[in-house]
């Protein structure tokens, strides 16, 4: 039995697709959804853990990829560099767990490491490279 944690990004046209049903039924995989959200630009994001035979996981990933789902591995560690952060808030709507959050009184952004699931979704949106991801 192998386990793999992945971040899946679905284009809007795939939001109604019963993807997890197919992974379970057609590929004999266990699917544990760790986080799910829809971004402001209507992309769907799922952080999932797949469990099953390695070959079944590979086939399931191939199925997702063929559908047009973007697949990223979950990171090992995420570091927020406070000194680089400009508090622009670009990462706030992207973060599925509110690990990056805004204090509305001070209008400053902070990072709660305990809430971070290391999905890496904040990395491409930060214009100041204040978030570092280690795979
Ligand atoms: S990697 Fe970034 S977006 Fe993902 S949970 Fe951690 S802080 Fe939030
Ligand atoms: S996107 Fe980067 S600079 Fe902007 S608030 Fe988030 S961590 Fe700070």
């Amino acid at each position: 039995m192998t386990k793999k944690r992945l971040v899946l990004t679905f284009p809007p046209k795939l939001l109604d697709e019963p993807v997890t049903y197919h992974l379970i039924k057609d590929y004999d995989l266990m699917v544990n959804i760790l986080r799910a959200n829809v971004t402001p630009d209507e992309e769907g994001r799922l952080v999932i853990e797949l469990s099953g035979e390695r070959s079944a996981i590979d086939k399931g990933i191939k199925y997702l990829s063929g559908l047009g789902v973007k697949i990223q591995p979950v990171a090992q560690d995420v570091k927020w560099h406070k000194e680089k952060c400009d508090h622009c808030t670009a990462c706030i709507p992207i973060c599925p767990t509110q690990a990056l959050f805004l204090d509305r009184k001070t209008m400053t952004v902070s990072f709660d490491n305990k809430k971070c699931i290391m999905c890496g979704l904040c990395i491409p949106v930060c214009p100041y490279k204040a978030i570092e991801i280690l795979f």
Side-chain angles (χ1 to χ4, degrees), residues 31-66:
V31 182
N32 186 10
I33 298 176
L34 304 173
R35 286 283 182 274
N37 77 339
V38 176
T39 67
D41 53 358
E42 298 291 310
E43 276 187 333
R45 295 260 165 78
L46 278 184
V47 182
I48 61 167
E49 184 177 76
L50 293 179
S51 310
E53 296 301 322
R54 184 178 291 275
S55 60
I57 290 179
D58 290 345
K59 283 179 191 162
I61 290 174
K62 208 169 166 184
Y63 155 71
L64 292 170
S65 184

Side-chain angles (χ1 to χ4, degrees), residues 14-114:
L14 289 180
L15 281 184
D16 293 329
E17 198 68 25
V19 167
T20 51
Y21 168 79
H22 286 298
L23 288 173
I24 295 164
K25 186 174 169 290
D26 301 343
Y27 297 91
D28 200 22
L29 292 169
M30 281 189 280
V31 182
N32 186 10
I33 298 176
L34 304 173
R35 286 283 182 274
N37 77 339
V38 176
T39 67
D41 53 358
E42 298 291 310
E43 276 187 333
R45 295 260 165 78
L46 278 184
V47 182
I48 61 167
E49 184 177 76
L50 293 179
S51 310
E53 296 301 322
R54 184 178 291 275
S55 60
I57 290 179
D58 290 345
K59 283 179 191 162
I61 290 174
K62 208 169 166 184
Y63 155 71
L64 292 170
S65 184
L67 278 180
V69 178
K70 192 173 150 208
I71 304 159
Q72 297 164 256
V74 170
Q76 296 299 315
D77 198 11
V78 168
K79 287 200 167 89
W80 178 63
H81 297 283
K82 188 177 179 179
E83 71 288 355
K84 287 188 184 173
C85 178
D86 192 49
H87 308 280
C88 70
T89 73
C91 57
I92 301 297
I94 299 296
C95 178
T97 63
Q98 285 84 52
L100 286 157
F101 62 96
L102 177 67
D103 180 333
R104 294 203 173 268
K105 279 190 191 150
T106 59
M107 292 307 283
T108 55
V109 170
S110 296
F111 176 60
D112 182 348
N113 190 42
K114 292 190 288 300

